[in-house]
Amino acid sequence: MSLSLPVNDNFNRLLEELKAFGEKATELASLNESYQQFIERFPAKKLSSLTLDEYCIGKGTGDSFCWWLERGIEPALGRYMPGTSRGHIIYFQPNGDVYKHKALSNLSDSEALAYTLKIQAEIAKAADDEDWRWVDDDDELYRRAGVTDRLVTIGHGRKLRILSAYHPDNVVPISSSAHLGHFLMQLGFPKDELPSEKQPVSRMLLLRDYWKMACQIVPNLTLTGFMHGLYSPNLGLAPTKDMTIENELHITLTDGAIRNGYISIPKNQTLFPQEYIADHESSDSKQFVLKLPDNSQITTCLLSNKNRIKARFNSLFKRLQLTSGEQLVLSRLDEGVFEMRVSHEDSDYDAGEDAAVVSVAPTNQERSPLNQILYGPPGTGKTYETIRA
């Protein structure tokens, strides 16, 4: 086997770390007891026929498909968290009612379940030897699933999680497109050649090629072992909370931030140029435009003495019903123009990919908050964003 991906010193450091892992580098997810329990209960051929009780999280019994996907197989494939139950598209609410994604609100509970199961089952039954990049293309996913009313698909992170859940020894178990892109660049892949964050599977396959290269140096290295190496604290390659990933800054909300309407910005951020940072509230600085998740926008700046955005967002946080632990993602759209969206990174390796991303037919509906997915060994979580229906 000959691969010609560009590498840097981080790749060599990773190899040395993996060599020192011993048996940990050769762990197979498929042999993990928790994984074997999951696949026996939820084989791919059964997925499209699950009942609401079998699929939905929310009853606290810990025996649903969504619970297993999120928590049950964590010992084998690391942590995956959609941020809130909304990432599962359908779930049981505390009063026993069924929550359905807004795009599915005109369907009955059973119809909505059948709809999303068609899409998820199509990914689960993908063959090991096929080119999985079709999963990145929602139009192709709809076509293969036989879905004619294209209401809502699933997020980037969930696509990755389902692929890894049904191909545990052939997928890099990282359910975050942003994390995948981060690691690719950490190992030497050119930023300008990186697939879009909307192409999580393409990113995963590239990172898997780095694993194949590592296998030539580290005998019997598994994808699980490779993943543990990437997140090893000894290397410092993993994304951390409140850091810039690619062209994004991920900010974890606290109770105090939500209560006071603040968005804290770390001093070491690289997203906002110095010209947009004022010394204090009464000093002058250049203003930037910040586009908000509800389609409005404001003009503001950063305050260096308080390490936050000058504007307050109490009403926005209230409208979006944000809670502690949820994340905001700030990104640069153009010179002096930035965007805020909502994401989720509930894990020890906060900062991650996408999760429930929606693809809908054009309508005049308002935006609704959506979810994103995350990974983690113990995890990385991510993204809930508002998308026009």
Side-chain angles (χ1 to χ4, degrees):
M1 176 182 62
S2 176
L3 294 172
S4 58
L5 291 171
V7 298
N8 58 19
D9 186 57
N10 284 337
F11 182 75
N12 296 323
R13 293 173 58 229
L14 174 62
L15 292 178
E16 294 304 313
E17 180 74 1
L18 292 170
K19 289 177 185 178
F21 267 12
E23 292 184 359
K24 184 178 179 181
T26 63
E27 292 178 358
L28 279 170
S30 61
L31 298 182
N32 184 279
E33 183 179 356
S34 65
Y35 177 77
Q36 292 179 345
Q37 292 173 0
F38 163 78
I39 203 64
E40 181 179 356
R41 180 158 188 179
F42 300 104
K45 63 183 179 182
K46 181 183 177 182
L47 190 52
S48 60
S49 60
L50 296 181
T51 65
L52 283 167
D53 282 338
E54 289 173 321
Y55 176 82
C56 291
I57 204 166
K59 287 193 171 181
T61 57
D63 59 359
S64 68
F65 172 77
C66 289
W67 180 87
W68 275 94
L69 205 65
E70 184 174 330
R71 294 293 189 181
I73 56 177
E74 180 180 335
L77 295 170
R79 197 170 184 179
Y80 154 81
M81 293 193 69
T84 71
S85 296
R86 282 174 287 187
H88 298 299
I89 309 298
I90 301 171
Y91 66 91
F92 287 120
Q93 300 182 85
N95 64 2
D97 292 343
V98 174
Y99 166 88
K100 300 189 291 282
H101 185 279
K102 182 178 179 180
L104 305 178
S105 59
N106 290 331
L107 302 181
S108 68
D109 294 347
S110 59
E111 289 171 338
L113 176 65
Y115 181 97
T116 193
L117 286 179
K118 280 184 180 180
I119 292 172
Q120 296 183 58
E122 194 62 33
I123 299 174
K125 69 183 184 182
D128 263 325
D129 59 352
E130 68 175 296
D131 184 347
W132 293 332
R133 284 177 292 185
W134 62 266
V135 178
D136 288 336
D137 183 348
D138 281 341
D139 287 337
E140 179 63 12
L141 179 54
Y142 282 132
R143 187 191 70 78
R144 291 189 181 216
V147 173
T148 54
D149 294 327
R150 302 183 175 193
L151 303 175
V152 57
T153 183
I154 57 175
H156 305 157
R158 196 174 189 86
K159 289 177 179 179
L160 292 164
R161 186 61 161 190
I162 291 177
L163 268 181
S164 64
Y166 288 95
H167 305 84
D169 299 329
N170 204 22
V171 173
V172 183
I174 297 177
S175 299
S176 165
S177 188
H179 275 216
L180 291 169
H182 172 84
F183 283 126
L184 283 168
M185 291 188 291
Q186 286 288 308
L187 298 180
F189 194 83
K191 182 177 179 180
D192 58 358
E193 296 180 23
L194 192 69
S196 164
E197 192 168 350
K198 296 179 181 180
Q199 298 173 291
V201 177
S202 298
R203 290 183 169 196
M204 185 278 294
L205 293 174
L206 275 173
L207 192 57
R208 192 178 67 173
D209 285 341
Y210 277 96
W211 162 74
K212 292 177 180 179
M213 293 170 61
C215 285
Q216 300 177 51
I217 308 299
V218 184
N220 303 316
L221 176 66
T222 63
L223 285 160
T224 300
F226 182 67
M227 172 271 292
H228 284 302
L230 291 169
Y231 284 100
S232 171
N234 294 331
L235 297 179
L237 299 181
T240 58
K241 288 185 179 182
D242 297 352
M243 70 175 291
T244 302
I245 302 180
E246 299 180 43
N247 295 315
E248 297 182 343
L249 182 62
H250 296 248
I251 305 297
T252 303
L253 292 175
T254 63
D255 285 330
I258 293 172
R259 185 169 57 253
N260 294 300
Y262 292 149
I263 297 179
S264 298
I265 304 294
K267 288 184 178 181
N268 63 351
Q269 64 85 26
T270 58
L271 183 67
F272 295 94
Q274 183 63 37
E275 61 191 295
Y276 298 118
I277 304 176
D279 292 333
H280 47 78
E281 299 227 17
S282 60
S283 62
D284 294 329
S285 76
K286 192 172 181 180
Q287 305 282 293
F288 59 83
V289 173
L290 182 61
K291 296 188 175 182
L292 304 178
D294 61 0
N295 288 326
S296 64
Q297 65 181 42
I298 61 171
T299 301
T300 187
C301 65
L302 304 187
L303 297 176
S304 64
N305 65 326
K306 295 186 177 180
N307 297 322
R308 66 172 177 84
I309 294 178
K310 183 176 182 179
R312 294 201 189 187
F313 302 89
N314 304 71
S315 60
L316 178 68
F317 292 169
K318 184 176 181 180
R319 286 197 301 275
L320 296 180
Q321 299 180 329
L322 300 183
T323 58
S324 177
E326 293 186 292
Q327 294 205 353
L328 299 177
V329 180
L330 303 175
S331 57
R332 180 181 180 275
L333 298 181
D334 203 347
E335 180 66 34
V337 181
F338 296 82
E339 178 185 47
M340 177 201 303
R341 68 178 190 270
V342 185
S343 171
H344 295 283
E345 306 210 58
D346 301 336
S347 70
D348 292 342
Y349 295 102
D350 294 302
E353 144 355 223
D354 276 6
V357 173
V358 175
S359 175
V360 293
T363 70
N364 292 322
Q365 298 174 357
E366 295 180 354
R367 292 192 176 197
S368 60
L370 295 180
N371 198 44
Q372 283 217 110
I373 289 175
L374 310 112
Y375 157 77
T380 66
K382 179 174 202 53
T383 334
Y384 149 135
E385 61 180 303
T386 55
I387 301 202
R388 180 174 298 281

